[in-house]
Amino acid sequence: MQNYFGSINHQCLRELLDQRIKDGVIRKQINKWLKAGIFENGEVTCPKEGTPQGGIISPLLSNIYLHYVLDEWFTEQIQPLLQGSSSLLRFADAFLLCFTNRADAERVLEVLPKRLSKYGLTLHPENMLA
């Protein structure tokens, strides 16, 4: 995906976290991590989206985000509609969708950008194979 870690929508992430995390102390800490400023070239900026680059929480938050955006969507909504077998392999922001039926692959490739854009994400055009 293109600039994945810098593209995560904070509000959307918070809504996804609401589905599982009810502990206010943990939620406050996550909000602090998301609001943490970045010191570059003598200036502090507070990003409105993305996860803290190099932050200890960044891999966890980004995996939670993609779990809901991609993993659950694919297994619960897409796979039941497919004619052939399929699987999803994902590591952080990199993923591979495998299909035994070319028509299934083409249909998913058609709707995948729409699904990702709903959450502020885009596929990197150089990494797509048909």
Side-chain angles (χ1 to χ4, degrees):
M1 274 180 268
Q2 201 161 352
N3 187 28
Y4 172 64
F5 292 96
S7 301
I8 294 174
N9 180 296
H10 287 187
Q11 184 58 37
C12 186
L13 175 60
R14 287 183 181 98
E15 290 169 10
L16 295 173
L17 291 170
D18 284 341
Q19 295 180 31
R20 297 270 177 108
I21 301 174
K22 305 299 180 196
D23 186 314
V25 174
I26 293 173
R27 293 305 303 276
K28 273 186 177 179
Q29 187 60 49
I30 290 171
N31 283 331
K32 285 180 183 181
W33 274 315
L34 290 174
K35 292 177 184 177
I38 300 168
F39 185 74
E40 283 184 317
N41 302 323
E43 291 186 32
V44 176
T45 58
C46 296
K48 302 285 185 221
E49 59 184 21
T51 58
Q53 294 296 324
I56 194 164
I57 195 71
S58 210
L60 177 65
L61 294 178
S62 62
N63 271 301
I64 290 170
Y65 198 71
L66 269 186
H67 170 76
Y68 289 106
V69 172
L70 182 63
D71 303 355
E72 275 194 357
W73 171 75
F74 187 73
T75 58
E76 294 176 9
Q77 296 180 32
I78 298 300
Q79 281 184 319
L81 303 174
L82 303 177
Q83 294 185 10
S85 298
S86 64
S87 60
L88 164 67
L89 303 166
R90 187 173 63 79
F91 181 77
D93 64 329
F95 64 93
L96 178 65
L97 298 173
C98 304
F99 302 89
T100 58
N101 182 304
R102 184 175 182 88
D104 287 342
E106 291 169 348
R107 285 192 351 236
V108 172
L109 188 56
E110 192 175 304
V111 298
L112 182 60
K114 295 172 192 167
R115 172 66 180 185
L116 295 177
S117 70
K118 179 179 175 181
Y119 294 91
L121 304 174
T122 56
L123 287 173
H124 197 288
E126 293 178 10
N127 296 333
M128 291 181 10
L129 299 175

